[in-house]
Every structure is written in structure tokens, then in C-alpha cells.
Amino acid sequence: MKTKTEKNQVTGKKTTTHLVMTGMMTALLAVLSQLSIPMPSGVPVTLQTLAVALCACILGWKLGTLSVLLYLILGAAGLPVFSNFGAGLGAVIGPTGGFLIGFLPLAFLTGVGKEKKGLWRLWMAALGLASCHALGILQFSLVMGSGWMEAFLLVSAPYLVKDGISVFLAFVVGGAVSKGLKAANIPNCA
């Protein structure tokens, strides 16, 4: 039977680990956002979707979503963490900001899906990706004054396959990282 002091030490270690892992995943998202290829639509090809899904797959839905929220707050506050070192509230409310906001449901639903078995895992991740793209299409359409279909064809359709592969890779890599953390006796973040 553990004493109260031993329980507090375990809880403190777990809390510290959660803080460090959340910060590290936020930093990883910021770094992978900079690996971008500009596109004529204004929506660059980046590894952000992979990073957001990795946050959820490694940290779980609570801390993964928190990690993405911290990323958005840092970027909105002016730190150049968005793609191509973008920053500021203008990036969040601009034509492509819907995708940034859409990272929250992507992280949440992918993290929830991580806890499911079989096809539910894929369905939750697909719903998260669809939510992200829907918010991106909606905001692009509203800001640019274009129709929904035009926005879909311009800023969503060309990225769907890449984003689907990114989420799948996040499950594979996230599973391997989680096993490694468990083997290293690091408290589970999920």
C-alpha cells in the first residue's frame, strides 16, 4: 500500500510529464508548420495536419487538444508559429484561419478515436478531418466571397489525400511513440 507521500510523488511526476509533453508537442506543431510549400490558393502544403494528429495520438484527446489550443493562442498573440512564420489574429480570422480553428476538432476527435477500437478509430479521425476541412472551407468562402463548391475545389479537395495519409501516419507513429514511452516507464499522457 502506498503512503500519501508516495502517491503525491507519483501524481507530481505525472503532472510534470504532462506539462512537458504538452509543451513539446506544441513546439513540434510549430516546427512542422514551417515546413511548407506555398500554393496559389493561399493554403500551403504543410505537415500541420500530421502534427495535430500526432498531438492527439500521443497525448490523448485532453492534452492533445490543449496542445493545439496553446499553439493557436501563441500564434494569435503574435509568435510566428503558423505556416511561413505567420502570426497574429489576422492569420486566425483571415482566409485560411478556418483550418487553424479546425485543428481543435481534429485533435479532439482524433484523440477520442485513439481510445476506440477497430473502425471507430478511423471514423472519429475522419470526422475530425472533415470538421477541419469544413471550417476551412466555410471561412475561406466567407472571407473571399466565393461559393462553397469553389472554396472546396480550391482549398480542400487538393489536400484531402495528403491529410488522410497524415492522420493515418500519426496513428502509426503515435502508437510507436506511446509504446516507447510506456517501455521507458514514463507516465501515460492519454
Side-chain angles (χ1 to χ4, degrees):
M1 181 119 202
K2 289 185 179 182
T3 66
K4 188 174 182 177
T5 303
E6 290 173 325
K7 286 181 185 178
N8 286 341
Q9 287 175 338
V10 169
T11 301
K13 183 178 179 184
K14 195 171 187 178
T15 301
T16 302
T17 301
H18 289 177
L19 286 170
V20 170
M21 291 295 293
T22 301
M24 286 176 51
M25 293 308 294
T26 302
L28 179 68
L29 176 53
V31 169
L32 291 181
S33 295
Q34 304 317 314
L35 302 174
S36 83
I37 301 169
M39 299 297 281
S41 66
V43 178
V45 175
T46 70
L47 295 178
Q48 287 172 305
T49 306
L50 172 65
V52 168
L54 267 175
C55 289
C57 289
I58 292 171
L59 300 176
W61 70 269
K62 290 178 190 174
L63 295 177
T65 305
L66 176 61
S67 181
V68 173
L69 179 62
L70 289 172
Y71 166 77
L72 294 174
I73 290 170
L74 291 171
L79 288 172
V81 296
F82 299 146
S83 66
N84 297 318
F85 298 100
L89 197 54
V92 177
I93 62 174
T96 61
F99 290 100
L100 293 171
I101 295 164
F103 290 158
L104 289 170
L106 174 60
F108 174 78
L109 292 168
T110 301
V112 169
K114 177 192 178 231
E115 299 171 5
K116 304 291 182 191
K117 299 289 182 202
L119 288 178
W120 280 107
R121 178 177 284 204
L122 296 174
W123 281 111
M124 295 303 290
L127 182 59
L129 188 57
S131 299
C132 181
H133 276 256
L135 289 169
I137 292 165
L138 174 65
Q139 187 159 327
F140 187 87
S141 176
L142 292 173
V143 172
M144 299 303 287
S146 65
W148 291 61
M149 184 54 74
E150 180 185 352
F152 168 74
L153 292 173
L154 191 60
V155 300
S156 178
Y159 305 89
L160 283 173
V161 171
K162 185 234 13 132
D163 287 349
I165 292 169
S166 293
V167 172
F168 175 78
L169 285 175
F171 274 105
V172 173
V173 172
V177 169
S178 294
K179 284 181 185 177
L181 291 172
K182 189 174 185 177
N185 204 23
I186 295 174
N188 189 4
C189 291

